[in-house]
Amino acid sequence: MALTAAWFAQFIPQVASGEILTWSRPWIPGLDIEVAFLLDGLSMLFALMVTGIGAIIFLYSAVYFKGHPKLTMLLTLLFLFAVSMLGMVLADDMVTFFVFWEGTTITSFLLVGFDHEKTKARDNALQALLVTGLGGLALLAGLILLGAEAGTFRISEMNAAAGAIQASAMYVPILVLVFIGAFTKSAQFPFHFWLPGAMAAPTPVSAYLHSATMVKAGIYLLARFTPALGGTEVWFWILTIVGAITMVWSSVLALKQTDLKLMLAYTTVMALGALTMMLGGGTRYAVMTVSVFLVVHALYKAALFLTVGLIDKGTGTREVGQLGGLRREMPITFWIAILAALSMAGMAPFVGFIGKELMYEAALGVETEPLFVVTAALLANANMVAAAALVAISPFFGARVAPPKSPADPTPWLWIGPALLAALGLAFGLVPALIDGPIITPVVQSILPGEEAVYLKLWHGVNLPLMLSILTFALGFALYYGRDKIRGSLQSANFTGGLDANDTYNLLLTSFKRFAAWSARTVQGGKMTVYLRTAFAVLALLMWGAHLASRDAFNPPVEGIALIPMVICLLIAVSAAVVLTTGSRLYGLTALGITGAGIAILFVFYSAIDVAITQLLVEMLVVIILAVALVKLPNMPREPNFRAGDALIATALGLGVAFVVASVLMQPFDPRINEFFNAASYPEALGRNVVNVILVDFRALDTLGEVAVVLVAAISAAAALTAGLRAGRKEKEE
């Protein structure tokens, strides 16, 4: 992973100079789909985060889980997840992008549920899978519509067709579907509840997924499609409002937590809300904020998650109330936590300070409702300062609290990774030029092509953003010193009336399970008559729905039908009525045979001799088999046995078929299909018999499926008959 990061790093000078590296190969040429990748500023930043932080996570995991029986499985899943993330951020083809997007969904599900022996881990993994998976389906629909409007599946070409896309009537539906995909992946309100639940994953997994990779996938999606979809009022308002609610609400919930890891999880949701809100702004400063904050958050959040893992491993707990006065026993862990938390709080001279100053600068520059944006940023940042203090100060200062284990710093192989990340947060703050030109400027130009980035620096003079920063620290420390009362008030408060997003999810999931159980009991009743009744009723509804939705509904071509076919139709109807009403099996079987024979005669009238012969042979076979079976069946009373429901389904199905066929025949003949098969049969399939070529080549999968069904039915019938014969022989022997 480290070598991969170094390999990507060699392209930094080229990307910084404005060059975009591309690579593509045909995948499905008939559908114009390619395996296409692109390396620009945005994908370079994510690739470096995925591989760079990934290398630290791999080292940390190997030491943290040394001797664990499932270590190999964990490293394998982490590797597959990293590959999915890399493929997603480098993809320049919509289909390629979505395949890797879903790859992150599946692998993250397996990682969150790594401790699958625990019920909580399984439930939370399923929750993450369902929420992000459903969002993925919405995203797929949005991407298909986007590709149809842009006329291409290449993402870079979609971004170049922004004018046509935003002028299209499908723009708003596309936007909503893409937003659902991004919001579910990046845990935006009201889909924010799954991310804290995903803390059931092992600590290194949480550090990787929630600092630089999975939860940033939605942010990457929004940033990647900003040129194509951004800059409109709908874009601005939805992202600004959703992002603001997410960042403020989650920052408040962070103060409510007593588990350090869970506290960090809510601050991650807060950071994702801030990124979403800034992408909604869409100005140069807003995009600069996004670019810098991606780096800032990845560094301090990965460092703090790993530090919490060190505390947990060293003391046996992550609960704030069971930790205190640890700085002497765990000095290295203490300094790592302090460095990372100072960057998280936005203190100078850390790079977090630059990110916070840019956020206020961008909020003040928003054209519409800047006061709303500034207030949301101020409240969230103040809560972030308090949360950073809780993580970095509470466990190490104050009265000594005896944890479950004797505390001690871990081996250097565990703390060197988070120490490096925390040190980078300081280094990039002291020397912003390390990331300004090589990383940040290319990212801004990827999101806002043609826009020049602002030079990064620590000191901007005494201005309004600095005043807001000072106010942020004052509010944050006030919240920290009142933490116990605030936490108690939040834990006793009932903001949602006892039904929050997590409860709503559980209610919906339970209702769905009950509906599924009810439908299975109803439809899968174990009786052939129930299966046939259900299948025919659904088929009738589909046909009548399609027929009524067509313009030619209730307009069958009755004129021109000869007298004899009409008489045969009447005979078929009478025979069907006998089948439905008779109490005699023999009468019913005879009437059924007349029905089939009548249909075969109708085929003859319309020159379909081969179909007529097939129909007649099938009818004869059915009658013979049933007649033989009648001999073995027990006697039944000869009473009228009219089933109104079956009669209704049969009538609806029969009339539905007749009306649909009549409607199809009324349409003018379209020779395009014939012309295609005539022209393509020999060049593409080397066959001169068009019917055979259609069956064997053009619809080969259909034919294969039909053959498979016939074989399965034959094998099942043979097994059933053989079992019956064996049972009969056994009875005779006994």
Side-chain angles (χ1 to χ4, degrees):
M1 196 62 72
L3 292 176
T4 309
W7 186 79
F8 278 113
Q10 69 173 321
F11 297 111
I12 288 178
Q14 289 176 262
V15 174
S17 66
E19 188 175 348
I20 298 175
L21 308 177
T22 60
W23 181 90
S24 65
R25 288 289 184 274
W27 182 5
I28 310 176
L31 298 177
D32 198 22
I33 296 174
E34 298 177 312
V35 179
F37 295 105
L38 169 149
L39 187 64
D40 62 354
L42 183 62
S43 54
M44 170 66 82
L45 171 60
F46 273 86
L48 289 175
M49 290 196 301
V50 170
T51 54
I53 295 181
I56 292 174
I57 297 295
F58 271 76
L59 173 64
Y60 187 96
S61 301
V63 181
Y64 195 87
F65 288 102
K66 185 178 180 181
H68 194 287
K70 295 193 294 184
L71 175 60
T72 304
M73 179 188 295
L74 176 66
L75 295 179
T76 303
L77 290 175
L78 281 171
F79 175 76
L80 293 175
F81 174 80
V83 170
S84 299
M85 275 299 303
L86 265 184
M88 188 195 72
V89 300
L90 295 173
D92 190 31
D93 177 85
M94 186 193 75
V95 178
T96 308
F97 172 86
F98 187 76
V99 168
F100 285 112
W101 173 281
E102 287 303 288
T104 65
T105 301
I106 295 170
T107 50
S108 63
F109 162 71
L110 298 172
L111 286 168
V112 173
F114 179 72
D115 293 325
H116 55 82
E117 299 85 359
K118 301 176 182 176
T119 304
K120 185 179 180 183
R122 294 198 302 272
D123 291 344
N124 291 351
L126 178 64
Q127 184 185 66
L129 178 68
L130 289 177
V131 174
T132 57
L134 290 175
L137 292 178
L139 175 63
L140 177 61
L143 292 178
I144 291 173
L145 290 176
L146 183 58
E149 292 300 317
T152 177
F153 289 141
R154 291 293 285 267
I155 295 173
S156 54
E157 294 174 3
M158 290 177 181
N159 285 332
I165 293 170
Q166 297 186 10
S168 164
M170 297 305 295
Y171 172 66
V172 173
I174 291 171
L175 205 59
V176 171
L177 292 168
V178 171
F179 280 168
I180 292 174
F183 291 171
T184 51
K185 200 78 165 182
S186 285
Q188 296 299 291
F189 182 87
F191 307 108
H192 59 287
F193 57 91
W194 73 264
L195 192 148
M199 289 301 112
T203 297
V205 173
S206 300
Y208 197 32
L209 267 61
H210 302 143
S211 64
T213 54
M214 182 188 174
V215 296
K216 297 277 178 62
I219 302 300
Y220 174 82
L221 172 70
L222 295 175
R224 177 55 74 196
F225 284 100
T226 292
L229 303 174
T232 64
E233 288 194 3
V234 184
W235 172 276
F236 168 79
W237 282 112
I238 292 179
L239 291 189
T240 301
I241 292 174
V242 171
I245 293 174
T246 302
M247 66 188 292
V248 174
W249 180 240
S250 56
S251 66
V252 172
L253 293 178
L255 300 181
K256 178 182 174 181
Q257 311 306 319
T258 58
D259 184 332
L260 292 176
K261 192 176 171 185
L262 207 53
M263 193 182 299
L264 289 177
Y266 278 103
T267 60
T268 296
V269 181
M270 176 270 162
L272 297 171
L275 290 168
T276 301
M277 188 177 74
M278 289 294 110
L279 281 170
T283 63
R284 180 175 58 169
Y285 271 105
V287 174
M288 279 284 293
T289 304
V290 171
S291 309
V292 174
F293 202 60
L294 282 170
V295 177
V296 172
H297 180 259
L299 293 176
Y300 78 68
K301 189 52 62 70
L304 285 176
F305 265 121
L306 297 178
T307 302
V308 168
L310 300 182
I311 295 173
D312 190 14
K313 199 171 186 65
T315 65
T317 181
R318 302 190 306 250
E319 286 293 322
V320 174
Q322 300 178 20
L323 299 168
L326 294 175
R327 65 183 184 281
R328 290 187 177 81
E329 288 95 339
M330 304 181 72
I332 297 176
T333 307
F334 162 67
W335 282 111
I336 295 172
I338 286 291
L339 290 176
L342 287 174
S343 188
M344 175 180 170
M347 288 284 188
F350 292 85
V351 70
F353 176 77
I354 298 176
K356 182 167 52 57
E357 292 280 293
L358 279 172
M359 185 184 296
Y360 284 135
E361 190 73 44
L364 291 167
V366 171
E367 294 182 0
T368 307
E369 303 296 339
L371 183 59
F372 169 76
V373 179
V374 170
T375 304
L378 179 65
L379 293 174
N381 282 330
N383 288 332
M384 189 76 90
V385 171
L390 281 167
V391 174
I393 296 178
S394 291
F396 300 101
F397 286 92
R400 177 75 166 82
V401 178
K405 291 169 59 178
S406 297
D409 274 327
T411 171
W413 293 113
L414 276 178
W415 59 255
I416 193 168
L420 177 63
L421 295 171
L424 284 176
L426 177 60
F428 291 160
L430 291 172
V431 189
L434 290 174
I435 57 171
D436 189 2
I439 301 295
I440 303 302
T441 299
V443 176
V444 173
Q445 290 173 348
S446 299
I447 301 174
L448 293 179
E451 194 74 46
E452 291 295 328
V454 182
Y455 181 65
L456 292 181
K457 55 185 178 181
L458 267 176
W459 179 249
H460 288 265
V462 179
N463 52 17
L464 193 50
L466 182 63
M467 295 298 106
L468 288 170
S469 292
I470 295 172
L471 181 58
T472 300
F473 298 139
L475 288 174
F477 283 115
L479 290 170
Y480 174 72
Y481 282 107
R483 58 189 179 280
D484 293 333
K485 291 183 179 178
I486 293 173
R487 184 184 298 130
S489 301
L490 291 173
Q491 289 176 346
S492 60
N494 185 7
F495 298 110
T496 57
L499 187 67
D500 58 14
N502 209 33
D503 294 332
T504 305
Y505 162 81
N506 290 328
L507 180 64
L508 289 175
L509 185 61
T510 303
S511 302
F512 183 78
K513 287 180 179 177
R514 288 176 179 171
F515 173 76
W518 170 81
S519 62
R521 286 195 304 271
T522 305
V523 177
Q524 303 289 330
K527 295 182 178 179
M528 182 58 73
T529 51
V530 175
Y531 299 150
L532 292 175
R533 192 177 294 129
T534 304
F536 287 147
V538 171
L539 181 59
L541 285 174
L542 290 176
M543 282 197 301
W544 275 104
H547 182 63
L548 294 174
S550 70
R551 290 174 296 178
D552 301 315
F554 298 105
N555 191 20
V558 179
E559 299 86 359
I561 300 178
L563 177 61
I564 295 178
M566 294 188 70
V567 171
I568 295 173
C569 288
L570 181 61
L571 181 63
I572 292 172
V574 171
S575 301
V578 172
V579 173
L580 289 169
T581 56
T582 183
S584 167
R585 289 170 177 159
L586 185 58
Y587 291 167
L589 182 60
T590 305
L592 190 63
I594 294 173
T595 304
I599 293 174
I601 295 171
L602 283 178
F603 285 137
V604 174
F605 266 94
Y606 291 97
S607 305
I609 302 299
D610 52 344
V611 182
I613 293 173
T614 305
Q615 173 75 24
L616 196 58
L617 290 174
V618 169
E619 287 300 326
M620 291 172 62
L621 192 61
V622 168
V623 170
I624 291 171
I625 293 174
L626 290 179
V628 173
L630 282 179
V631 178
K632 298 288 185 181
L633 291 176
N635 293 327
M636 59 180 290
R638 290 191 176 188
E639 297 176 357
N641 190 23
F642 179 70
R643 294 184 176 88
D646 294 348
L648 180 62
I649 292 173
T651 304
L653 186 59
L655 290 177
V657 172
F659 274 68
V660 168
V661 171
S663 297
V664 171
L665 293 175
M666 288 176 61
Q667 302 302 317
F669 180 70
D670 187 346
R672 285 180 297 173
I673 296 178
N674 285 4
E675 292 170 355
F676 167 77
F677 284 122
N678 285 332
S681 291
Y682 187 75
E684 295 189 14
L686 302 178
R688 297 188 185 280
N689 187 317
V690 175
V691 176
N692 289 347
V693 169
I694 292 173
L695 290 175
V696 176
D697 292 280
F698 290 111
R699 47 163 296 197
L701 287 177
D702 289 349
T703 305
L704 180 64
E706 292 169 359
V707 172
V709 169
V710 172
L711 285 175
V712 170
I715 293 171
S716 302
L721 292 172
T722 306
L725 292 174
R726 282 200 300 268
R729 284 197 298 267
K730 188 174 181 180
E731 286 182 3
K732 288 181 179 179
E733 291 172 0
E734 293 175 353

